[in-house]
């Protein structure tokens, strides 16, 4: 690693990316390549001799960029946004540059201590109960993804319960979510050895805007208890993936408390918004939870990956996840005065993620972060308003944050079953595919209560009002073309 060559090449890559951001709106948002496209272009084996960065960047422009779906495009409205930012990028660059492998305090004290500080900062911004902060006996950790956070907490809950009721009782443990909960819960339960028959996706209803109702949960839990099973873990969601529904935290936590369950609140997408006082009410009731997480890499201007997890009792994670081989022994660990984050997560090695979160919070400041989030909510409102003026479209569920779920229903069918529903669903499938194939924007879909809905998720960093107006035009143009065809 030659510092001067690093400087030269580093500048080239930054220039390349600055040009990319300047031009990203020109690329088809959803990649339009066919499976296997790259294998046809690239050589069969690695080069024997070094190649210049210039040559490699040319290949990136010609072969890699066409195969990228442009999450940074201002016309990106799919899934949830990956709201990367300059500060997030530069923070990531610094941690990559230091390349520290921060498994325990000793392996990079600054990484651990900064992580403790930024998770406390963020916990305070979210007005999390003191018991989730280091200052209150709990604590936060930065993991890669929500999937990991859920797996770690399910594992901690499992071991805590089995220590009480006996290790051979694992077959009686039950995990609860709703039919709208992210699939990471099911995966975590599977990996943690919960019997597949003991995973409950409790039904939600349109009348509750697809949020999990405590009474529905109670019925299912009581039936399980009567059958001799042991309720273990409940995962309510604040901002579901399909429709940003919000589960009724307070009531759900009460049901869970009656049965001694671990409650993990998954606010992967919507958690960020709760730093704004006007949205904080969405997590009211979190004081009854055992753990809470959200993804800073979704809607908090922090480049992938960064899931923030807080737990009330860090020792539960440590009991389930720690190993202490001889080669990691050190004085700091033995003093018991430090946090060794390797014991709070699945992997041993870990990245210096706190750097980018710290950069984001310092470079923008809380007031700006709140205003960015409010801006995205306004963006979604604008799209909703434009759409509401055209009676051929329906907003399918209330818009809570910065996502609008809609469908095209020109004949105004109100049936929710039968051939009419099939026909509207197919029409919307076709509309979405046509829009995405045009490359002008990218949206994705979900099926909620049997209805195929198109999701417009605002929050991409470069989106401005003109892109939203243009997106609405794209929707209308494609919808009208379909009506003209009358094939559906
Ligand atoms: N939970 C919710 C509500 C989500 O929306 C998502 C992803 O969109 C996840 C969990 C999974 O997040 P990750 O990809 O970080 O595991």
């Amino acid at each position: 690693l030659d510092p001067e060559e690093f400087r030269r090449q580093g500048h080239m890559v930054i220039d390349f990316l600055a040009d990319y951001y300047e031009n990203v709106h020109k690329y088809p948002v959803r990649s339009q390549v066919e499976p296997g496209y790259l294998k046809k272009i690239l050589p069969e084996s690695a080069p024997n001799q070094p190649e210049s960065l210039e040559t490699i960047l040319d290949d990136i422009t010609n072969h890699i960029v066409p195969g990228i779906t442009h999450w940074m495009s201002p016309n990106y409205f799919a899934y949830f946004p990956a709201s990367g930012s300059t500060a997030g990028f530069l923070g990531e660059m610094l941690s990559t540059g230091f390349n520290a492998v921060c498994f325990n305090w000793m392996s990079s004290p600054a990484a651990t201590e900064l992580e403790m500080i930024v998770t406390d900062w963020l916990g305070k911004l979210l007005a999390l109960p003191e018991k989730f902060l280091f200052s209150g006996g709990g604590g936060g950790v930065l993991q890669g993804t929500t999937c990991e956070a859920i797996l770690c907490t399910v594992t901690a809950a499992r071991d805590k319960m089995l220590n009480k009721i006996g290790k051979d009782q694992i077959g009686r443990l039950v995990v609860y979510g709703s039919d709208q909960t992210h699939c990471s819960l099911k995966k975590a339960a599977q990996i943690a050895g919960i019997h597949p028959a003991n995973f409950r996706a409790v039904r939600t209803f349109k009348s509750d805007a697809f949020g999990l109702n405590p009474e529905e949960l109670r019925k299912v839990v009581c039936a399980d208890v009567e059958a001799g099973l042991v309720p273990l873990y409940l995962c309510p969601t604040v901002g579901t993936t399909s429709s940003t529904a919000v589960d009724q935290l307070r009531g759900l936590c009460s049901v869970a408390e009656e049965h001694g369950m671990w409650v993990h609140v998954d606010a992967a997408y919507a958690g960020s918004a709760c730093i704004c006082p006007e949205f904080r009410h969405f997590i009211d009731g979190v004081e009854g939870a055992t753990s809470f997480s959200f993804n800073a890499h979704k809607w908090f201007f922090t480049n992938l990956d960064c899931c923030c997890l807080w737990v009330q009792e860090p020792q539960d994670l440590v009991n389930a996840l720690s190993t202490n081989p001889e080669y990691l022994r050190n004085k700091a660990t033995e003093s018991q005065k430090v946090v060794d984050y390797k014991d709070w997560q699945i992997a041993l090695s870990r990245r210096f993620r706190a750097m980018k979160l710290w950069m984001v919070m310092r470079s923008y400041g809380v007031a700006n972060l709140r205003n960015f989030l409010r801006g995205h909510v306004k963006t979604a409102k604008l799209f909703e308003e434009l759409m509401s003026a055209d009676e051929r479209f329906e907003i399918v569920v209330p818009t809570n944050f910065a996502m609008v779920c809609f469908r095209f229903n020109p004949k105004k069918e109100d049936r929710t079953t039968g051939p009419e529903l099939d026909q509207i669903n197919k029409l919307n499938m076709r509309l979405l595919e046509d829009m995405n194939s045009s490359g002008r924007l990218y949206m994705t879909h979900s099926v909620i209560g049997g209805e195929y809905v198109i999701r417009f998720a605002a929050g991409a960093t470069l989106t401005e009002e003109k892109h939203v107006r243009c997106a609405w035009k794209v929707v209308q143009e494609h919808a009208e073309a379909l009506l003209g065809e009358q094939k559906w």
Side-chain angles (χ1 to χ4, degrees):
L1 197 159
D2 167 4
E4 281 316 309
E5 188 55 14
F6 171 74
R7 197 186 306 280
R8 187 187 77 82
Q9 295 194 14
H11 283 144
M12 280 175 70
V13 172
I14 294 287
D15 282 343
F16 177 90
L17 283 173
D19 290 344
Y20 171 73
Y21 293 141
E22 209 159 68
N23 292 308
V24 66
H25 63 281
K26 296 182 190 156
Y27 299 119
V29 189
R30 188 188 70 178
S31 172
Q32 308 283 320
V33 300
E34 295 295 330
Y37 89 101
L38 200 52
K39 198 169 180 348
K40 291 188 195 138
I41 305 171
L42 294 191
E44 298 233 314
S45 42
N48 210 24
Q49 297 300 322
E51 295 185 83
S52 71
L53 182 59
E54 286 81 350
T55 312
I56 300 169
L57 285 178
D58 274 351
D59 280 354
I60 290 174
T61 303
N62 297 327
H63 306 319
I64 301 298
V65 171
I68 287 179
T69 288
H70 299 287
W71 289 64
M72 293 303 289
S73 167
N75 302 311
Y76 178 94
F77 305 106
Y79 306 105
F80 283 130
S83 60
S85 68
T86 305
F89 176 91
L90 296 179
E92 181 70 45
M93 201 169 153
L94 284 165
S95 66
T96 300
F98 292 129
N99 203 25
V101 183
C102 315
F103 38 79
N104 59 14
W105 181 88
M106 195 64 244
S107 65
S108 255
T112 299
E113 296 199 10
L114 191 60
E115 190 159 330
M116 295 170 73
I117 291 167
V118 292
T119 52
D120 262 11
W121 277 11
L122 203 42
K124 285 180 198 160
L125 281 182
L126 289 164
L128 288 183
E130 185 72 19
K131 64 184 180 185
F132 283 112
L133 310 183
F134 283 101
S135 46
V141 55
L142 302 179
Q143 305 211 342
T145 65
T146 295
C147 288
E148 293 162 57
I150 293 183
L151 176 56
C152 290
T153 49
V154 168
T155 307
R158 176 200 67 189
D159 285 6
K160 195 172 185 180
M161 183 62 85
L162 292 183
N163 281 339
K164 265 196 241 159
I165 64 172
K167 295 229 182 299
D168 56 345
Q169 299 295 308
I170 189 166
R172 292 172 62 210
L173 304 182
V174 191
V175 167
Y176 302 84
S178 82
D179 55 8
Q180 302 297 311
T181 304
H182 191 268
C183 60
S184 47
L185 179 64
K186 189 164 192 192
K187 189 169 185 169
Q190 203 173 306
I191 299 172
I194 304 302
H195 194 286
N198 291 352
F199 177 79
R200 305 275 175 269
V202 181
R203 197 166 161 205
T204 59
F205 298 92
K206 193 163 188 169
S207 53
D208 294 320
F210 299 99
L212 178 56
N213 182 318
E215 285 319 305
E216 289 302 313
L217 175 72
R218 189 189 302 281
K219 281 186 229 159
V220 178
V221 172
C222 288
D224 284 337
V225 172
E226 254 176 53
L229 298 175
V230 178
L232 174 72
Y233 183 100
L234 167 68
C235 181
T237 308
V238 175
T240 58
T241 316
S242 286
S243 69
T244 74
V246 177
D247 293 345
Q248 301 172 29
L249 281 194
R250 193 159 274 137
L252 293 170
C253 288
S254 303
V255 176
E257 193 185 3
E258 286 162 27
H259 297 277
M261 291 161 78
W262 183 299
V263 181
H264 176 77
V265 177
D266 172 11
Y269 156 69
S272 322
C274 301
I275 70 161
C276 300
E278 67 272 33
F279 301 125
R280 170 59 177 75
H281 66 92
F282 285 111
I283 56 169
D284 281 358
V286 67
E287 56 281 2
T290 325
S291 50
F292 174 89
S293 64
F294 91 93
N295 281 349
H297 63 246
K298 273 194 166 55
W299 196 19
F300 202 70
F301 317 100
T302 307
N303 293 44
L304 193 71
D305 55 2
C306 191
C307 170
C308 313
L309 165 69
W310 289 266
V311 287
Q312 252 189 71
E313 289 185 40
Q315 193 59 41
D316 293 337
L317 287 178
V318 176
N319 290 345
L321 302 168
S322 88
T323 49
N324 287 303
E326 181 57 35
Y327 45 80
L328 295 182
R329 283 188 65 180
N330 67 86
K331 270 195 197 146
T333 299
E334 273 150 34
S335 75
Q336 299 193 340
K337 286 190 189 144
V338 297
V339 165
D340 286 337
Y341 273 126
K342 70 177 175 54
D343 299 336
W344 295 43
Q345 63 170 29
I346 299 163
L348 174 73
S349 297
R350 64 198 314 273
R351 313 177 60 229
F352 189 172
R353 291 194 183 93
M355 175 65 80
K356 57 188 169 184
L357 200 47
W358 190 52
M359 290 277 288
V360 165
M361 286 193 270
R362 292 190 62 189
S363 300
Y364 300 124
V366 174
N368 273 323
L369 291 171
R370 287 186 173 133
N371 285 337
F372 293 149
L373 293 161
R374 289 174 179 135
H376 296 155
V377 172
K378 272 197 199 139
T379 300
K381 281 265 172 302
L382 170 64
F383 186 81
E384 195 178 16
E385 272 164 31
L386 293 168
M387 183 159 274
S388 305
D390 185 334
E391 56 182 22
R392 298 168 302 174
F393 289 85
E394 289 170 3
I395 309 293
V396 179
V397 287
T399 302
N400 289 324
F401 302 99
M403 190 177 79
V404 183
C405 289
F406 67 93
R407 65 176 188 165
F408 183 41
N409 184 4
K411 291 189 191 159
K412 304 204 71 61
E413 300 284 2
D414 58 6
R415 293 279 195 82
T416 50
T417 53
E420 291 85 356
L421 178 65
D422 282 351
Q423 204 186 18
I424 305 170
N425 284 352
K426 280 194 190 124
L427 175 67
N428 281 279
M429 250 179 247
R430 180 68 204 281
L431 172 60
L432 182 63
E433 185 48 35
D434 287 357
M435 292 193 295
N436 289 339
S437 300
S438 78
R440 293 168 71 193
L441 52 69
Y442 186 23
M443 296 186 202
T444 49
H445 80 283
S446 189
V447 174
I448 316 170
E451 295 177 8
Y452 185 97
V453 300
I454 302 179
R455 299 162 72 263
F456 169 90
T461 314
L462 296 168
T463 303
E464 296 170 30
E465 185 177 325
K466 65 180 180 193
H467 301 109
V468 180
R469 292 189 182 276
C470 178
W472 169 234
K473 256 176 66 187
V474 172
V475 175
Q476 278 187 312
E477 280 170 25
H478 283 275
E480 270 150 29
L482 275 178
L483 282 185
E485 260 186 39
Q486 287 292 338
K487 271 194 197 146
W488 44 277

